[in-house]
Amino acid sequence: MLFLEHRTVEETVLSVTSVGSNMSRWKCGIEGCDARFENVESAIIHQTTEHERHECKVCGTIVPEGYFAIRHAFDEHTRAEFVRAYDADSSAVRVREDVKEAVEEVADLNRVVKTLRDEGAL
């Protein structure tokens, strides 16, 4: 699994922090939230159900904050559109791409979507 150091809120919305010798925990990373989770699926569900929605600055679509906002930005728009709309630089793009990749390497996104639909959050 890709290890991501904790970064500021402006840089990332999910991170893996080292806990103990062999354990990792996912940290929400949304501004003002210090919630930590044993698995990434719980972190994504938390971000979707416990935080305000995010309005995409490129197209105006309303998406859940956190992972789903990153996924929307990079699956629906070009990197250049993201950089212009969010006044970001290449470092900010790389951090978010790393977060997206790390999540998608380990997450059971089908289970996340099913859980969110069952809870009425999607």
Side-chain angles (χ1 to χ4, degrees):
M1 179 165 70
L2 180 64
F3 179 83
L4 297 174
E5 294 178 358
H6 176 70
R7 301 174 195 274
T8 65
V9 174
E10 292 75 29
E11 294 174 315
T12 189
V13 292
L14 271 177
S15 62
V16 179
T17 54
S18 179
V19 178
S21 59
N22 293 323
M23 294 174 56
S24 292
R25 295 182 71 174
W26 290 86
K27 183 178 183 306
C28 176
I30 293 175
E31 185 174 7
C33 185
D34 293 324
R36 295 176 186 267
F37 305 90
E38 292 298 326
N39 60 65
V40 69
E41 292 88 358
S42 295
I44 295 168
I45 291 167
H46 161 83
Q47 289 180 329
T48 304
T49 60
E50 300 300 320
H51 292 284
E52 295 292 320
R53 300 289 172 142
H54 170 80
E55 181 177 352
C56 175
K57 291 183 180 181
V58 177
C59 67
T61 298
I62 305 296
V63 294
E65 184 63 274
Y67 166 73
F68 283 123
I70 291 172
R71 181 176 165 178
H72 169 83
F74 293 117
D75 287 355
E76 301 298 323
H77 306 295
T78 67
R79 299 330 182 238
E81 288 173 322
F82 177 83
V83 167
R84 282 191 302 271
Y86 288 90
D87 194 27
D89 60 17
S90 60
S91 175
V93 170
R94 279 191 300 279
V95 167
R96 284 167 178 79
E97 287 175 331
D98 287 348
V99 168
K100 184 177 180 293
E101 182 180 322
V103 168
E104 292 171 355
E105 281 180 11
V106 298
D108 181 348
L109 294 173
N110 289 326
R111 182 172 67 106
V112 169
V113 169
K114 181 183 180 332
T115 300
L116 291 169
R117 284 189 176 140
D118 290 349
E119 293 178 5
L122 287 183

